[in-house]
Amino acid sequence: MMSNPSRATEFCLSGFPGSQGLHHVLFAVFFLFYSVTIMGNTVIIVIICVDKHLHSPMYFFLGHLSAVEMLTTSIIPMMLRRLLIHEMQTISLTACVAQLFLYLALGTTEFALVGAMAVDRYMAVCNPLRYNTMMNSHTCLSVVTGSWVFGFPSEIWPVYTTFQFTFCKSNVLDHFYCDRGQLLKLSCDDTLFIEFVLFFMAVFIILGSLAPTIVSYTYIISTILKIPTASGRRKAFSSCASHFTFVIIGYGSCLFLYVKPKQTQAVEYNKTVSLLISMLTPLLNPFIFTLRNDEGKQAPRDGVKSCCQLLKD
């Protein structure tokens, strides 16, 4: 722990409190979740690539969303190591910068993709005759490329500014990754202004991508309610239900974590919501988009049948 006002060159991640036995239990649970997350999202990407029935804009966006979800979980292996060896994890300043930047940049990319998927569902339900023309391969590729390009540059300044402060109070981060709020908490400088700037940036990024989602689903719900038959309404809703469920979980947790004026608030609060974002949301992604979607459920079955047929031959 640092006691002099020098610039930190490394940080110690305290992780989770509790006994070694509790840490081993948490390791088993989190390792299971992490394994299922990686396997589930990998299966989604592979199925989308090989199944011609899933070569549509919706699944094109979903494939990239699954890739982002897997990359977002890159903070989990270090957390698992900390639980297994039951000692404070040390991370260099450079690694801390890279970890925070990747985590925030991928999160921003994810928001952009989720907004794009909402607009895609709006076109599919509200403008079905123009859907194939408007959502062609060129448009989809441009939207996905724009989402990735927007996600990374937009987080350069916030991360750069965060690490311009002098962290002299301590070098112990009471978290399982390089959380920005905990970093600002260790600074001896006045961080109030930059916290408000970061707050407004979070509002712009999160609510900026949430706005087209809200508008799209307002029109979608209005259109679905006008469908005369119950089977027609059910079919239209089923094509949007998985995405809508993901929006509620993903945006809900991020709004609680980032859209607040005070970035340095309650540690346990931040840990819980961060765990929800980095582990639970990516874990639920494969189940939400396959179990709530007829095409998603049928594709794995077709894949298994094809593999069995190849083995027989």
Side-chain angles (χ1 to χ4, degrees):
M1 181 176 294
M2 296 168 56
S3 58
N4 57 6
S6 60
R7 193 172 185 86
T9 57
E10 65 177 22
F11 296 96
C12 297
L13 304 175
S14 63
F16 297 95
S19 63
Q20 187 171 359
L22 175 61
H23 281 195
H24 288 166
V25 172
L26 291 176
F27 172 83
V29 173
F30 293 159
F31 180 75
L32 176 63
F33 284 2
Y34 179 65
S35 301
V36 173
T37 297
I38 296 299
M39 289 188 293
N41 283 286
T42 301
V43 167
I44 285 181
I45 294 173
V46 172
I47 288 175
I48 291 173
C49 290
V50 301
D51 194 328
K52 294 181 180 180
H53 298 95
L54 302 183
H55 290 180
S56 65
M58 174 183 172
Y59 287 99
F60 179 70
F61 292 135
L62 177 57
H64 282 268
L65 183 64
S66 294
V68 171
E69 293 282 25
M70 285 197 297
L71 292 172
T72 304
T73 61
S74 59
I75 65 174
I76 301 300
M78 181 174 287
M79 181 190 73
L80 293 175
R81 183 175 182 274
R82 161 72 179 86
L83 290 171
L84 189 62
I85 63 177
H86 197 66
E87 66 181 32
M88 201 165 287
Q89 184 77 44
T90 302
I91 182 171
S92 67
L93 179 63
T94 304
C96 191
V97 173
Q99 187 184 69
L100 179 61
F101 174 72
L102 285 174
Y103 185 73
L104 294 176
L106 289 167
T108 304
T109 302
E110 182 175 348
F111 287 133
L113 286 172
V114 171
M117 292 176 73
V119 175
D120 170 71
R121 291 300 84 205
Y122 160 75
M123 292 298 299
V125 174
C126 301
N127 295 283
L129 298 179
R130 300 175 58 195
Y131 179 70
N132 290 330
T133 303
M134 297 294 293
M135 300 302 294
N136 54 53
S137 57
H138 177 72
T139 300
C140 293
L141 183 60
S142 299
V143 170
V144 166
T145 303
S147 298
W148 283 94
V149 171
F150 170 72
F152 282 76
S154 63
E155 293 297 339
I156 292 176
W157 183 85
V159 173
Y160 172 79
T161 305
T162 299
F163 285 94
Q164 290 307 297
F165 293 113
T166 302
F167 306 106
C168 58
K169 293 181 180 178
S170 171
N171 67 338
V172 178
L173 287 172
D174 192 3
H175 216 289
F176 58 85
Y177 81 103
C178 285
D179 175 63
R180 182 167 60 195
Q182 295 307 304
L183 285 166
L184 294 176
K185 202 171 185 178
L186 299 182
S187 175
C188 295
D189 304 318
D190 183 7
T191 63
L192 186 60
F193 174 74
I194 193 63
E195 286 186 56
F196 274 104
V197 173
L198 294 174
F199 164 71
F200 285 115
M201 287 192 67
V203 170
F204 173 77
I205 291 173
I206 297 178
L207 298 187
S209 61
L210 183 59
T213 303
I214 293 174
V215 172
S216 296
Y217 273 99
T218 300
Y219 282 105
I220 288 171
I221 293 172
S222 176
T223 302
I224 290 175
L225 292 177
K226 294 177 182 177
I227 297 176
T229 62
S231 60
R233 289 193 297 269
R234 186 167 54 252
K235 182 178 180 180
F237 182 75
S238 65
S239 68
C240 305
S242 55
H243 178 257
F244 189 63
T245 304
F246 183 85
V247 166
I248 293 174
I249 296 173
Y251 276 99
S253 55
C254 287
L255 284 170
F256 277 112
L257 184 60
Y258 294 112
V259 184
K260 59 182 188 293
K262 192 67 175 173
Q263 295 287 312
T264 57
Q265 69 175 41
V267 176
E268 296 306 320
Y269 171 94
N270 278 355
K271 282 185 183 179
T272 302
V273 182
S274 296
L275 194 62
L276 179 68
I277 294 172
S278 59
M279 181 163 287
L280 187 59
T281 305
L283 172 70
L284 293 177
N285 182 36
F287 298 100
I288 291 173
F289 283 100
T290 55
L291 298 180
R292 296 297 301 273
N293 189 289
D294 293 336
E295 290 178 323
K297 287 186 286 188
Q298 186 60 39
R301 296 171 188 166
D302 294 340
V304 172
K305 290 179 180 178
S306 298
C307 290
C308 292
Q309 187 65 37
L310 288 173
L311 290 174
K312 289 180 181 179
D313 296 339

